[in-house]
Amino acid sequence: MEEREGEVRWDGLCSRDAASRAAALDNIGQAVLRRSETIAPVAAVPLSRAADGPLVPAARDGLSEVLARLLMLSKRCPFPDVREKSEAILSRVQELGIRIPRPLGHGPSRFIPEKETIQVGNEDAMMHALFAESFATLGRLDNVTLVMVFHPQYLESFLKTQHYLLQMDGPLPLHYRHYIGIMAAARHQCSYLVNLHVNDFLHVGGDPKWLNGLENAPQKLQNLGELNKMLAHRPWLITKEHIEQLLKTEENSWSLAELIHAVVLLTHYHSLASFTFGCGISPEIDCEGGHTFRPPSVSNYCICDITNGYHGVDEIHASPTGSIPVSICLIKSTESVCEVEALMEKMKQLQECRDEEEASQEEMATRFEREKRESMFVCSSEDEESAPTRDVSRHFEDTSYGYKDFSRHGMHVPTFRVQDYSWEDHGYSLVNRLYPDVGQLLDEKFHIAYNLTYNTMAMHKDVDTSMLRRAIWNYIHCMFGIRYDDYDYGEINQLLDRSFKVYIKTVVCTPEKTTKRMYDSFWRQFEHSEKVHVNLLLVEARMQAELLYALRAITRYMT
C-alpha cells in the first residue's frame, strides 16, 4: 500500500507464525473499519439498490483497492486464519452500508472448470507447503500457481527459479527485474502478467513515470527493446552484433552478467505468457477484471459480467433446454476414445519401426526440413475472440513486429544444429559462470518438464509416453529452426494431429490468439492435468529455444 494509507499494512500476513498474522489482521481490520466508518454516512444506501444507483462509496480514499485485496485473501490465502478474518472484515464493512466486491469468473482458469482445479483449503500437505511458500514469497497465491499445482514437482522448481530471478542477489536491481518482466509480457499483450509486475515494480520503489511508456524508462532499458522484440518473435535473427551494441554503448552499456540476467528474465516471461494464454489463466481476484462491486442479479450474473466475457454458462451450442443432447455426447466420447487408442497404436508401431530399421542421416535431414517447412503452413482458421486484453502496447515499441515464419519472401534462415551449440554443453555453463546457480536452476526445470510422466494417457495406465513428449518438444524446436541430428522428424506427423499442431504453434508463437476452442479441440479424452502438462513442455521448450539463440550470440561475441 502507499504511505498515505500508512495504517493498512499487509506484510505481516506473509509470516508463517500464526501470532504475527493475527496481529497483522487485527491492525488491518481496525484500519479498514476506521476508514469505512468515515465513509459510511455518505454510503447510506440500501444494500438492495440496483447497480445503477449512486457511485460505490468504497471507491473513495483507496478503500475499493483495500476491499478487493481482502476479497482475494478470503479466497486465495493458504492460511485458514487469514481467509476467515478477511471474510469477517468484509462482512463488517458491508454491515456499515458499504458495497463490497465479489469475484468475477469461475476459478483460476477460463478453460478448466473450477471444480476440477485444486481448491484452496482442500490441498494435501505437499501442495499446502508449496502454496505457503508461494504466498510467503510473493504475498499472493496467484492463478498460475493454482493451475501449475496439477504438477507439484514442476511447480516447486518453477517457484524456486522465479524467486531467485526476481528477489535473490543478482546483477540487476529489483525494480529493473520487474520492469523487464513487464516489457517481456507486453510483447504478447499479456495484461495478466503486466498487471502483476506493475504492482511489484511499484512495491519495490520503481518510478511510476516509467509505466507511461518505454521512452520514459532509462536509456539502458530502452536499448533492451530490440533484443526483447527479436527474442519474443524471431530469435533466429539475433547476432553477436546485437549483443555488442548492448555491451558497448558507453554510459548506458550492460555488463555481461547484467545481460545474462536480462535475457533469462525476458525468456522466462515470454514463455510464461504462453502458459498464461495456453491455460486460459483468469485475472487475479484483486486485479482489473477479477472482481466487481456491482451486485449480482437474480440469475447470479449481471449484464456487466456478460460484456466482460464472464458468462454464467459455458459457451456451447446447446439444445433449447440448455443441455447437450445425449446422442452428441456419446458420439464425441466414442470419437475421443478412438483418438486415444489410435495414438497409442501409432506409438507402438513407431517403436517397432525404430527397432527394425534406422533412416540414413540424409533422410533424417530431409525429414527435418520438410517438417520445418510444413510448420509454416500450420495456422488457425479461428475467428472467435481470444481473451480480452488491455492496451499494454505503450510498454514496447514497434507493435507491428510479430512472429514470422522462416522462409517467407524467399528469406532463408540456416538450421540451428543442437550438435553445434546445445544447452547441456554450452548454454548451461555460460549462464552459470555469469549468473551463478541460475544455470543449475534452469537445467533442473528443463529436465523436470521434459521427463515428467505419470505413465498414463487419458484412461490408460502403465504407458511409456517418452516418445510423445519428445515429439512435442522437438516440434517446438523445429518451429524455431532447431534440429537434433539423432531424431526422426517423420514421427511428428504420426503423433501430432493438425488440431494439436495448431494449438502448439499458437501458444508458442502467438499466444495472445489462443482460444478455448483450440484448447478443447485437441486430446479431447485427456485430463485437464495432461493438457497443463503439455503447456509445461511448451513453456520450457520455448524458453530453451530463445535462450539457445541469445546465448549462442553472446558466446560468439565473447570469442
Side-chain angles (χ1 to χ4, degrees), residues 251-390:
E251 74 273 12
N252 297 311
S253 65
W254 292 74
S255 71
L256 267 171
E258 288 174 332
L259 186 57
I260 290 286
H261 194 171
V263 162
V264 174
L265 282 168
L266 290 172
T267 57
H268 176 81
Y269 282 104
H270 293 156
S271 57
L272 191 54
S274 283
F275 184 87
T276 301
F277 286 115
C279 292
I281 301 296
S282 302
E284 294 299 324
I285 288 175
D286 57 332
C287 287
E288 183 181 340
H291 64 274
T292 180
F293 281 87
R294 290 175 178 269
S297 67
V298 176
S299 61
N300 210 31
Y301 64 96
C302 63
I303 197 69
C304 63
D305 297 346
I306 298 172
T307 56
N308 284 322
Y310 298 103
H311 298 214
V313 292
D314 291 331
E315 295 173 14
I316 52 176
H317 296 295
S319 66
T321 60
S323 60
I324 302 174
V326 173
S327 57
I328 294 178
C329 282
L330 288 172
I331 291 168
K332 289 201 166 191
S333 178
T334 306
E335 283 176 358
S336 300
V337 171
C338 292
E339 183 181 58
V340 178
E341 306 288 358
L343 182 54
M344 291 181 66
E345 182 58 33
K346 282 178 184 172
M347 288 164 64
K348 182 182 170 190
Q349 289 170 2
L350 285 169
Q351 187 58 55
E352 288 168 357
C353 290
R354 269 188 193 174
D355 296 340
E356 288 170 16
E357 59 175 312
E358 192 172 308
S360 67
Q361 280 298 311
E362 291 77 11
E363 177 59 24
M364 301 268 262
T366 301
R367 289 175 186 176
F368 169 78
E369 292 300 332
R370 184 186 304 133
E371 190 57 53
K372 185 173 76 169
R373 193 167 57 249
E374 285 179 5
S375 76
M376 287 169 40
F377 303 108
V378 173
C379 60
S380 167
S381 57
E382 297 279 340
D383 55 4
E384 76 175 87
E385 287 187 19
S386 45
T389 58
R390 283 174 47 209

Side-chain angles (χ1 to χ4, degrees), residues 99-226:
R99 192 170 290 148
I100 61 170
R102 61 187 177 85
L104 280 172
H106 304 278
S109 164
R110 296 181 302 114
F111 296 171
I112 305 171
E114 186 171 15
K115 65 181 184 295
E116 296 187 40
T117 60
I118 305 297
Q119 305 296 306
V120 178
N122 295 336
E123 69 273 13
D124 63 26
M126 181 185 182
M127 289 178 183
H128 180 75
L130 286 172
F131 286 173
E133 180 65 33
S134 179
F135 190 82
T137 302
L138 300 171
R140 60 177 178 261
L141 184 57
D142 61 34
N143 289 337
V144 164
T145 299
L146 290 170
V147 173
M148 274 188 188
V149 80
F150 275 120
H151 305 285
Q153 185 191 3
Y154 174 85
L155 176 62
E156 183 177 18
S157 176
F158 173 87
L159 290 175
K160 192 167 38 167
T161 304
Q162 184 168 261
H163 174 62
Y164 199 99
L165 291 175
L166 291 176
Q167 291 170 293
M168 299 294 281
D169 287 344
L172 293 173
L174 296 183
H175 63 301
Y176 265 51
R177 303 180 196 192
H178 290 294
Y179 196 80
I180 290 168
I182 293 168
M183 288 172 64
R187 282 292 346 154
H188 289 303
Q189 295 103 55
C190 187
S191 55
Y192 171 85
L193 291 174
V194 169
N195 287 339
L196 287 185
H197 286 281
V198 162
N199 292 337
D200 292 340
F201 171 77
L202 294 172
H203 182 71
V204 296
D207 185 344
K209 292 193 192 75
W210 296 11
L211 300 174
N212 293 327
L214 189 55
E215 68 278 4
N216 296 287
Q219 187 62 46
K220 183 170 177 174
L221 282 167
Q222 291 183 43
N223 293 346
L224 195 65
E226 186 72 13

